[in-house]
Each structure stands twice: as structure tokens, then as C-alpha cells.
Amino acid sequence: MITKSIEVANGVKINYIETDKFKTNYFSFNFITLIDKEKSPLNTLLPRILTHGSASYPSQALIDKRLQYLYSSSLVTRNTTIGKFHIFGLMADMLNDKYTASTSVTSEMISLICDIIFNPYLENGVFSKQYTESEKLEVIDAINAEINNKGRYSLNRCTEIMCEDEIFSIKKTGNVDDVEKITPEQLYKAYKNALKNYKIEIYAVGKLDIDKIALTLKAHFEKIEREIETMPSIEIKRSASEVKRVCEIQDVMQGKLCMGFRTGRTIEDGNYHIAQLFCEIYGGSPTSKLFVNVREKKSLCYTCRSMITQKSGLMYVMAGIEATNKQIAEDAILEQLDCVRLAQITPEELESAKKSLKNSYMNIYDSPSAMELWTLNRELSGNFDEPIGEAQRVDSTTKEQIAEYARGITLDTVYFLKGEDSNG
Amino acid sequence: MAEIIVKENEMLGEKYYTFKHKSGLRVYVFPKNMTSSYALFTTKYGAIDNKFKLEGEEEFTCVPDGIAHFLEHKMFECENGEDAFELFAKTGASANAYTSNARTAYLFSTTDNFYESLEYLLDFVTHPYFTEQTVQKEQGIIGQELRMYDDHPGARLEKGLLQALYEKNKVRIDVGGTIESIAEITADILYKCYYTFYNLRNMALAVCGNIDVNEVEKICDKILKEAPEQTIIRDYECDDEPRGVYKKRSICSLAVSKPIMAIGIKNTNIADDPNERMKQFYAIEMLNEILYSRSGEFFNTLYDQNLISFDLDASVEHSEFYSFNVISTESKDPEAVYDYFVSFIEKTKEQGLDKEAFELARRAIYASNIKMFDSTDDIAEALITNYLEDTELFEIPDTIMSIDYEYVSKIFYELYNEDAYAMSVVNPIGTTEEK
């Protein structure tokens, strides 16, 4: 997929995916490091404080006005984790110059992004106190708002319980206390550290003058002495021992069941497509075992699905149910897992899972951001196959391989969120 | 052979084909060089259509709330016991459906076997099969779907707002209905609704991707039978709707961390002419950009006082039967935001809209409409919206650029009147009494 990669500094690479399929160009700038209890809350704030004001556009309002002028270009912050990695930075999309009268939107956007990253708005040599405080407040609000989405809340709680001593349970934002104590000085130090030490991956998708952009970036990095940090490898737990059970009460109408499993394998072990196929068959589609049996046949729920996070080797099954049906739902979910373990997969199920999976791989080529995300994910796992390559490997997968994958899965945690006066 | 009309837009470098199939169905084919293709089969039938009759019938039929959505779920069940999802499983297409106020849509996207998938789509939506048993089973599933939305702050906020803005207009009906209303649904009522609204003359198909228009017509020939001529008379009872809002506040409590709020502006100034209505719509979108963007005074004043979060959204719905504008955010003090909103609007009325902000807003709206042509889903959706609204997709960029400062100002002064404002708030539990 990548047309060209240019190293612009030590540990800083710009990757170009050339295509004329779209009316927009896409650009992203990503810092990559490990999730860390101390550093992640600071890193979470970084993209936010940077987009709050730069030297040339010293306020949010001025940056936004500039974006409107540049034909409603979008510039959003990225703050995400993929397995053990914390990825934060900026993502932008902009209209091709073809559709804009006399304005070179793309090169103006690159200048704006460089200004935001390399020339932040400072007061007394550090980030603005006022901006820091208002961004802290935003993050604190977001932490407090985690209870608003019950599905995601139960997923997060399940992970915290399941991975108590592991890197995966660390919240990238930190807790309210961690955020409250952050100072503009600490934040500025974290910024300097990120530019100096973190691995940086930059992506450009569309029709851009990549050599010119690389030169611009090179010039900015020349002023920085790069010393790239080493990231230690992380051992993951391959199987669960005793099943942990936690039930919590909130004022909710519907119970949320979230079951956490260990799959025993990660993306580094290869066979990415087998894990994906398993998930399709088990609970990832409207023809999956969970959808057909737990939702349609038993009429227990509206949502019941499985999800695999391949970089951490975890699987989740989530269902929204009447609290009184909890045990019935849990049993039904495990019963369906046993069916896959016993290779009780019809040729039609296998065939449709393969088609559906290939369909989603091929879909990636239709969106600049999906292509970028795929490539970034591959970069992090050291596997550089294209979607089309994975799609081809799907074809030769047998149901025995899928059953074998399922047999390696063990139940670790059962988390249940329910209303106060509900039974079950 | 139907007469195929070609529409082209040179600036965009795009074209599409449209024809009226002999069955009565309106078809749009938008070729696009993408890996995946998208199909959208829609009926002009949504949650607001709960009182109707066919021309010639004496009595209006009134049906339980939530039935359009219920029908959408039930369409997936085929007579041979198969689920429509299983059909698409054979081709690898990813299928789905949704119901909104004024439409029900069935869709799929696929990178392979497009024409075969299209056959399945046309076939299952034109073959209803309901029994009392299957209806009962669905009541359990949809019951859980409604429960899920009961716990969903955004859904509660929106419902509260519509019920504050409108007294009679059917748009205040919840798309899913209630546990009680869906309990009244029977197979007979489903058939009645089906044969009224799933007549091909009341439907449209839009496909976008690497697709040939002649192949699409052949599939229509193969699957679709000619639909009987009929005229649907719908009673939205919207003529009796007062200009002012029904109530000023709608407040409820949920397990949220901080109040979330939506200010609604009810708009009764809706043009009868579709093209004029489209112009009004984009003018209101520009107003939202002028008044509520992050570069503006409204956002920055509230943000600097920590009264709102970074997420401030403004959106507009503008159709023949209802029109409203919504500004939503989170705030520790919704009443303070509301008061500021009222005074900010009054001040802007005195000073007039900022001319530079208008230019930037028009540019932004123009650009978003061009960006839309990067997505097969968005294109098909837009074709259907233009079908339902009786407007032309390719005229949108010109319409946007034809809107001037004076026009936007006129819309601004007409739209913003204090008796047209209402607010919906979802409070954290234990802070306020429910109203």
C-alpha cells in the first residue's frame, strides 16, 4: 500500500500512500510510545494543548478560523492505545487543490500542522497556564463521563479487573487525581521529551508533493537532537486461571454483561486472519453463532457480540440483557463457544465468514483514514501484509484451524452491571 | 427499456444515471471507481406515518407508534424460515437497515458479488412474511433495544427536545415506539402498513460503486413486479401545530457525570417549493457555522467561563413537515448557557451577522459537500435524500454558492424568536426533580 517511505530524522518516518481515488488528502502525525502510568496522562494532554494555540495562531478560535478558510479542513487530535502502545498526535483531511479557487489548501495545511507541532504557543517558556487548565478540565470531564456509555463502561471495567497487573489495564488518561496535578512545566517537559525520544510515524494519503513535505519536516527536525527510546517487550498472560466475577450496581434500566477471555495468542504470533475468522463465526456478524442463537433464537437481547483485541491477546463478549436473564445468557454464550471448539461449523458458516471478512479487508482501500490505520497497525506489529494479502490467506483456512484457535481461549472475567432493584 | 437519464457535474467530475423502472420504482446508479459498492433501497415511510389511508378509502387507519421500525426488523424474516442476513452471508455483503422519522432503508455494501446481492436485497424487501409467533419474538428483541436507548443519554436528550418543541407534529413520536405501543402490533397491522407503503411507486433504489446501469435494470426486470397505482394520503396533523414551542423545558435524570443539554429552535418557516427549501436548509447550516463554530464568540465566551466543553454541536433538520435546529453540549449549568444564548442572539440581531464569518461559513459548507463525494455510502444516501425532497444532487454546490449574505440574514431574523426556543436537559441522578 505504501508508495514511498522517507526517513526524515532518527526514528521519524513519513509514509506516503499515493492514490487519486479521493477528493481529499489525508495527513497524520503520530507519536508512539508504551502506555505508562506516569507519562500517559501527560501524553494524553499533549495533542490537546498543541491544538489550543500555536505561535502563529495563538488561540483555538484563530486555528479554527484558519481551518474554515482552508475549505473546512479538519484537524483532530488522536489519542489511542493499540495493545501496549500509546499513540497520540494529529489527524487532518483537506480538499484537493483541484476544487479550491487559487488556494493551495494542502501545503497551507502542512504549514499549519508544522506550526502547531514545532512552534507551540508558550508563555514564560512553557505552555499557557490558562490553556493547560482548560484542557485538564476537558480530560477530567471525559474521565467522569465514562459512566455515560454503559456498554463501553462495562468493557473498561472488565479490562481493569481482568488485567489488574498488566499494562492493558492502565488508563491512558490517568485518573482525575493524576490529571489535576499536571503543571504547564511538566507538560512542556513531556512535549520536549516526545519530540526528542519517541518513535514518530507520519502518514500522507492522496496526491501530495511528498518530497517537498519530507524536506519541510527534515528542516524542523534538524533543530532537535533525536535519541530514540527503546521499548521493552511485554510478556502477556496466555491463559486464565480462576474465573473472576464482579457485579456492580448503577441506576440503569438494562443489565450489561461483559465477559473477558484470554485467547492465548497475539498478532505477533501470526495467523491474524484465523483470529478474525473465529470472531466472525462466533459473534462478529449478524450470521454469527451469538447473534443467531442468543439474540434471534432465545430473544434474550438486542446486542450480543464478540470482539478480539489482537495485540493484547484478549477477547470480549458483550450483551445488553434483562438482569434476571444473566445466567441464561452467560450459559448460552459459553455453549456457543464450545460449539466452535468442537468444530461444529457448517460449510455455509465458514464460507460466509470468509466472504464477510474478505469484504471488510477490501473495504479498507476505499477510505484514506482506514488505509492509514491499517498501515499504522502493521507498523506496530512488524507484519507488513496488505489487506489483499490477508484476504487471500483467508481462503485457505480450515474449520479445524478455527476450532483449534477457539480451544486456546479461556474465560478470565465475568463483569455485570445492573440496576438497583433488578434481580439476578 | 426505460428511458435512462444521465446527470453530470463537470466541476465535480461525476455523473449518474436515473430511470423509472416499469415496476414503478425510481432507480439511481452512480458509477464510482471504488473497491466496494453500496446499495440503498428506501421507502418513503417512517415513524411519522401513523395515520394514513389510500385514495378512495373512507376512514384513516391509525397504527401503534414504532410500527415502521418494527416492520423493518420483521422484513428480515423470510417465508422459508431463513433470515435475510443469511442470504447476504452467501455473497459476503454486509447488510443492514434503519428507520427514521420519514424513511425506512435497507442497505448493503460489498466488494464482491454486487449484482447477486442486489437481487437478494430487492427480493427480500418485496416479500413480506409475518406470523403471530414471529411478531411476539420480535417484541422481546425490540423491547431490549428500547431499554438500551432508555439508558442512552443522547437518545433521551433528543426525545426530550422533540417533545418540548412540538405539541402535535408526529415528529415527536419516538422512532422505536414504547414497550406498550409495540405490544399492540399484530401480523395483520404489519401487512396493512406493508402494502400501503412498500408499494414500489413509493420507493427508490440508489446504488453507488463499480456498477453498470444496464445490469441494474436487468435485475429490476427479473425481481420486481409492476406495483399497483395508488395514492397514499398521510395525515401528519402538522397544520394545527402552533408556531411557538409546546413547553420551554424537558428535564430528566440518568446516570451521567454532568448535565447534557440541547437547545432547540423550532422553525415553522418552511418553503413549499423544494428548491427553495434546499436553499433554506443550507442557509441554516451556514448560520450554524457563523454562530456556533469554534472560531466564534458564542463558543469562546462560554468555553472561557468553563460553561461548556469542547464539544458543541449544531445541526439542522429541515423537511416538508418539520424543521428544527439543535445546539447541544455538556454544561455544569445549562440555564446559564441558555440565558447567554438568548442574549447572544439578541446582540447579534442588533449588530447584524459578521460578513467575514459568512464568507468562511459558505466556503466550509461548500467544501463539506464536495468531500461527501468520496464515500459511496454518502453518495447513495444523498441521492435518496434528494429523491425524498424532490431536489437535484448536482445542483447543491451551485445552490450553496448562490446564497448571499442578505439571504442568510433574512433567514436568521425569521428563525430566531424567543417563543421558538426550548431546552432539553439530562441531569445526573439526584440533582433535579423530573418535569
Side-chain angles (χ1 to χ4, degrees):
Chain A
M1 211 164 353
I2 293 183
T3 319
K4 194 172 187 178
S5 273
I6 305 169
E7 175 137 7
V8 293
N10 180 17
V12 184
K13 201 156 87 243
I14 179 162
N15 309 287
Y16 182 38
I17 300 172
E18 186 178 4
T19 165
D20 55 9
K21 241 166 108 167
F22 307 105
K23 292 184 164 49
T24 48
N25 288 327
Y26 176 94
F27 186 86
S28 74
F29 191 104
N30 309 283
F31 294 99
I32 298 165
T33 183
L34 288 184
I35 306 171
D36 181 273
K37 206 169 173 336
E38 306 294 321
K39 291 180 190 149
S40 290
L42 286 157
N43 290 335
T44 289
L45 269 178
L46 270 185
R48 310 185 69 112
I49 192 80
L50 291 174
T51 50
H52 205 122
S54 70
S56 313
Y57 303 93
S59 74
Q60 228 162 236
L62 289 169
I63 291 179
D64 201 67
K65 208 169 187 178
R66 183 71 185 156
L67 291 170
Q68 280 181 323
Y69 175 77
L70 294 173
Y71 288 82
S72 186
S73 292
S74 83
L75 179 66
V76 293
T77 57
R78 171 179 257 164
N79 180 37
T80 185
T81 58
I82 301 179
K84 63 187 178 188
F85 297 106
H86 186 188
I87 297 115
F88 59 96
L90 302 176
M91 301 182 281
D93 79 58
M94 59 220 89
L95 211 54
N96 270 344
D97 292 348
K98 217 163 140 185
Y99 306 99
T100 60
S102 74
T103 318
S104 173
V105 170
T106 299
S107 63
E108 294 292 327
M109 271 300 283
I110 303 291
S111 306
L112 175 64
I113 291 166
C114 285
D115 196 52
I116 285 170
I117 290 171
F118 299 102
N119 304 310
Y121 172 70
L122 302 177
E123 286 172 4
N124 306 318
V126 294
F127 291 120
S128 145
K129 175 92 185 150
Q130 189 204 337
Y131 289 3
T132 307
E133 288 308 316
S134 78
E135 291 301 341
K136 276 164 64 178
L137 214 58
E138 288 284 320
V139 173
I140 290 169
D141 274 351
I143 295 170
N144 289 328
E146 280 164 14
I147 62 159
N148 294 9
N149 182 328
K150 306 303 167 197
R152 195 169 319 139
Y153 177 81
S154 9
L155 179 66
N156 289 345
R157 285 292 297 133
C158 184
T159 308
E160 279 170 14
I161 296 158
M162 174 159 59
C163 305
E164 206 186 340
D165 314 315
E166 293 165 274
I167 194 168
F168 310 117
S169 69
I170 300 174
K171 256 162 84 154
K172 60 180 186 288
T173 54
N175 298 319
V176 172
D177 293 348
D178 302 325
V179 182
E180 261 169 1
K181 63 183 189 210
I182 292 174
T183 65
E185 290 76 20
Q186 287 172 325
L187 196 55
Y188 189 68
K189 215 174 133 195
Y191 162 71
K192 284 291 189 194
N193 179 57
L195 271 183
K196 192 173 174 207
N197 300 115
Y198 290 164
K199 175 182 169 76
I200 295 172
E201 290 290 324
I202 302 162
Y203 293 90
V205 186
K207 272 274 180 209
L208 302 92
D209 187 345
I210 200 67
D211 296 318
K212 198 175 141 206
I213 296 171
L215 279 176
T216 308
L217 289 163
K218 233 177 217 164
H220 283 288
F221 276 106
E222 262 166 18
K223 298 167 210 150
I224 300 162
E225 245 177 82
R226 293 271 304 165
E227 269 174 59
I228 188 157
E229 65 172 8
T230 49
M231 287 188 260
S233 64
I234 304 279
E235 252 327 289
I236 66 143
K237 279 192 196 156
R238 304 255 160 192
S239 68
S241 38
E242 208 176 314
V243 179
K244 298 193 265 283
R245 291 178 177 276
V246 176
C247 175
E248 289 177 338
I249 290 172
Q250 255 188 31
D251 206 331
V252 291
M253 304 286 277
Q254 185 182 56
K256 293 278 183 199
L257 178 65
C258 183
M259 299 167 74
F261 299 80
R262 298 196 180 271
T263 66
R265 279 136 299 184
T266 70
I267 194 164
E268 277 93 8
D269 303 324
N271 295 332
Y272 175 71
H273 60 287
I274 296 179
Q276 295 276 327
L277 262 181
F278 160 77
C279 201
E280 278 290 326
I281 290 171
Y282 181 48
S285 76
T287 48
S288 67
K289 291 190 179 292
L290 290 181
F291 190 94
V292 170
N293 294 290
V294 184
R295 169 175 151 148
E296 292 292 319
K297 290 207 181 127
K298 295 199 196 272
S299 187
L300 277 172
C301 46
Y302 173 68
T303 54
C304 184
R305 60 190 185 96
S306 64
M307 183 184 102
I308 288 186
T309 58
Q310 289 224 55
K311 288 203 180 52
S312 38
L314 303 172
M315 174 178 86
Y316 301 88
V317 173
M318 289 159 284
I321 52 173
E322 283 296 331
T324 43
N325 287 333
K326 188 222 167 198
Q327 197 54 49
I328 306 173
E330 188 184 323
D331 293 345
I333 288 164
L334 292 173
E335 188 190 327
Q336 292 308 314
L337 182 57
D338 281 336
C339 291
V340 188
R341 285 174 173 146
L342 295 168
Q344 289 170 3
I345 301 165
T346 64
E348 291 78 27
E349 276 178 302
L350 182 61
E351 208 36 53
S352 71
K354 284 181 177 178
K355 281 183 174 155
S356 163
L357 187 58
K358 284 193 282 183
N359 194 23
S360 28
Y361 286 144
M362 297 310 288
N363 255 324
I364 290 166
Y365 292 102
D366 282 349
S367 149
S369 58
M371 286 201 272
E372 182 248 20
L373 190 61
W374 173 275
T375 318
L376 174 63
N377 261 292
R378 302 299 106 176
E379 172 72 34
L380 296 177
S381 56
N383 161 358
F384 294 98
D385 216 349
E386 281 207 26
I388 196 165
E390 289 290 349
Q392 283 157 358
R393 289 212 259 158
V394 165
D395 269 330
S396 59
T397 310
T398 64
K399 73 173 184 181
E400 209 19 76
Q401 286 175 301
I402 294 161
E404 198 222 318
Y405 181 86
R407 289 196 289 270
I409 295 174
T410 47
L411 176 63
D412 187 293
T413 299
V414 180
Y415 175 80
F416 191 51
L417 180 70
K418 63 169 190 172
E420 225 156 309
D421 43 8
S422 49
N423 303 311
Chain B
M1 288 290 282
E3 189 203 349
I4 297 174
I5 298 163
V6 190
K7 302 267 185 182
E8 250 185 298
N9 185 307
E10 228 174 286
M11 183 273 294
L12 290 167
E14 304 283 4
K15 73 172 167 186
Y16 73 87
Y17 305 91
T18 179
F19 62 88
K20 178 117 182 187
H21 185 250
K22 60 189 178 201
S23 61
L25 181 71
R26 168 58 61 185
V27 181
Y28 301 92
V29 179
F30 196 119
K32 186 91 188 158
N33 185 22
M34 290 279 179
T35 314
S36 136
S37 301
Y38 188 86
L40 185 64
F41 191 20
T42 308
T43 161
K44 197 172 184 172
Y45 170 49
I48 60 174
D49 298 294
N50 70 352
K51 189 175 174 188
F52 55 85
K53 65 178 180 182
L54 290 179
E55 200 174 61
E57 286 179 350
E58 272 188 22
E59 299 283 316
F60 273 100
T61 302
C62 293
V63 294
D65 291 349
I67 198 162
H69 171 253
F70 199 98
L71 185 52
E72 171 226 304
H73 270 240
K74 280 329 306 157
M75 285 312 299
F76 280 85
E77 212 153 65
C78 308
E79 193 168 353
N80 61 6
E82 237 183 351
D83 192 300
F85 284 122
E86 291 170 41
L87 299 171
F88 293 102
K90 291 178 194 163
T91 64
S94 156
N96 212 337
Y98 66 85
T99 307
S100 65
N101 291 321
R103 73 173 90 163
T104 310
Y106 299 84
L107 55 101
F108 70 82
S109 78
T110 187
T111 53
D112 214 356
N113 308 311
F114 175 81
Y115 298 109
E116 197 187 330
S117 308
L118 183 62
E119 282 190 24
Y120 289 139
L121 178 71
L122 296 179
D123 190 62
F124 96 83
V125 179
T126 49
H127 288 89
Y129 176 70
F130 320 119
T131 67
E132 293 312 326
Q133 286 83 356
T134 63
V135 167
Q136 268 173 28
K137 190 204 78 181
E138 208 63 32
Q139 280 157 345
I141 295 172
I142 295 183
Q144 284 306 314
E145 186 180 1
L146 296 177
R147 280 258 186 269
M148 180 178 85
Y149 287 119
D150 280 341
D151 284 335
H152 192 289
R156 291 286 290 274
L157 188 71
E158 189 190 331
K159 187 164 145 184
L161 185 67
L162 289 172
Q163 295 183 351
L165 288 174
Y166 292 97
E167 182 182 345
K168 300 200 169 88
N169 196 304
K170 305 274 183 190
V171 70
R172 75 196 305 279
I173 298 171
D174 203 20
V175 171
T178 61
I179 304 237
E180 294 74 34
S181 73
I182 61 168
E184 294 169 28
I185 293 172
T186 62
D188 283 347
I189 313 179
L190 287 176
Y191 277 116
K192 171 88 187 170
C193 292
Y194 181 85
Y195 285 111
T196 305
F197 295 106
Y198 284 62
N199 180 299
L200 292 170
R201 297 178 197 279
N202 188 48
M203 300 176 79
L205 170 73
V207 295
C208 181
N210 234 323
I211 300 162
D212 179 70
V213 59
N214 296 311
E215 287 299 316
V216 173
E217 193 184 8
K218 272 187 218 157
I219 287 166
C220 290
D221 288 347
K222 183 174 160 193
I223 308 285
L224 303 177
K225 293 189 187 71
E226 190 178 341
E229 297 266 8
Q230 64 177 33
T231 307
I232 307 165
I233 301 164
R234 307 161 199 245
D235 186 1
Y236 292 131
E237 294 168 351
C238 52
D239 295 341
D240 309 335
E241 181 67 38
R243 271 177 64 96
V245 298
Y246 176 49
K247 53 179 187 178
K248 296 297 276 184
R249 294 288 180 274
S250 178
I251 293 171
C252 72
S253 302
L254 266 190
V256 293
S257 55
K258 195 176 171 179
I260 56 170
M261 56 174 289
I263 297 173
I265 300 127
K266 178 174 173 177
N267 182 11
T268 42
N269 175 25
I270 303 171
D272 287 332
D273 175 61
N275 290 317
E276 183 60 25
R277 203 158 60 232
M278 171 158 91
K279 201 171 160 185
Q280 288 176 333
F281 170 79
Y282 286 106
I284 301 171
E285 282 218 313
M286 283 175 207
L287 277 175
N288 282 343
E289 194 77 21
I290 297 167
L291 298 170
Y292 311 116
S293 75
R294 286 182 195 145
S295 59
E297 186 186 334
F298 181 80
F299 173 82
N300 285 288
T301 307
L302 291 169
Y303 187 85
D304 289 345
Q305 294 175 29
N306 291 326
L307 271 172
I308 58 166
S309 69
F310 193 62
D311 294 312
L312 173 77
D313 291 313
S315 66
V316 51
E317 282 212 33
H318 190 64
S319 77
E320 205 176 340
F321 305 106
Y322 55 86
S323 170
F324 55 89
N325 198 40
V326 185
I327 300 123
S328 55
T329 188
E330 271 186 9
S331 176
K332 59 182 180 195
D333 189 352
E335 289 299 334
V337 174
Y338 183 86
D339 290 343
Y340 176 72
F341 163 77
V342 174
S343 65
F344 166 76
I345 293 294
E346 286 314 306
K347 197 181 99 182
T348 311
K349 277 184 175 173
E350 279 163 31
Q351 295 174 345
L353 296 168
D354 184 77
K355 286 207 165 115
E356 191 201 354
F358 161 74
E359 290 296 337
L360 289 176
R362 185 168 65 176
R363 194 179 251 231
I365 302 296
Y366 169 81
S368 335
N369 270 279
I370 295 177
K371 284 184 186 176
M372 184 204 79
F373 287 93
D374 269 353
S375 152
T376 53
D377 314 16
D378 290 350
I379 291 170
E381 293 285 348
L383 283 165
I384 292 293
T385 301
N386 282 278
Y387 158 77
L388 294 172
E389 282 288 315
D390 200 17
T391 47
E392 168 48 51
L393 176 66
F394 283 157
E395 278 169 19
I396 295 174
D398 283 347
T399 301
I400 291 170
M401 292 319 281
S402 78
I403 294 174
D404 58 18
Y405 176 81
E406 285 67 32
Y407 186 80
V408 170
S409 296
K410 183 173 119 347
I411 296 280
F412 172 60
Y413 288 102
E414 284 166 359
L415 177 62
Y416 282 89
N417 288 299
E418 214 173 332
D419 63 349
Y421 310 156
M423 178 163 73
S424 170
V425 178
V426 176
N427 276 318
I429 287 168
T431 49
T432 327
E433 293 292 302
E434 300 225 356
K435 278 186 197 167

